[in-house]
Amino acid sequence: MDSFIPSALRRQRNQRHLTLEAISAATGMSPQHLSEIESGKRDPRLSSIERIAEAMGLSVMLVPEHMAPEIRRYIATQGRVYTTTTALPQPSNPSSQDA
């Protein structure tokens, strides 16, 4: 599987200090099956990914391919948005110039 999903699932499971057995009990999938998904040896169905995510308290979000790099960058920066554009000048307020 050429995807970041297997490594993301493993990373999230480890960060939450969950075992394959705990996820297995919550999803009804065997620990071996889960291990094969996390290692990229098995290509899971979307429904399986959703069950695993739910067991870990995560949500699955599908986005258009062209938005994926920006979403990944947003996630990697933990929601901090960096821009390279400069601020545009604000229009003057005509009523304040009359004073």
Side-chain angles (χ1 to χ4, degrees):
M1 172 190 292
D2 186 26
S3 171
F4 73 97
I5 292 173
S7 61
L9 290 174
R10 176 171 281 157
R11 183 175 54 254
Q12 291 297 321
R13 182 177 59 78
N14 288 333
Q15 286 177 352
R16 287 167 169 69
H17 305 289
L18 297 168
T19 63
L20 287 172
E21 290 74 18
I23 301 300
S24 172
T27 62
M29 294 182 235
S30 73
Q32 178 66 32
H33 183 82
L34 293 167
S35 178
E36 290 172 357
I37 290 172
E38 286 185 354
S39 65
K41 294 177 183 173
R42 186 176 290 259
D43 194 6
R45 293 181 179 156
L46 179 57
S47 61
S48 296
I49 294 169
E50 290 173 327
R51 286 173 34 209
I52 296 167
E54 184 178 328
M56 291 192 281
L58 300 171
S59 296
V60 174
M61 179 174 54
L62 302 175
V63 298
E65 184 65 32
H66 73 276
M67 293 179 65
E70 191 63 33
I71 300 279
R72 287 187 186 127
R73 188 173 18 264
Y74 181 81
I75 293 168
T77 61
Q78 298 176 355
R80 294 184 298 271
V81 178
Y82 301 99
T83 61
T84 57
T85 59
T86 57
L88 297 174
Q90 297 296 317
S92 60
N93 186 344
S95 61
S96 64
Q97 292 176 355
D98 294 337

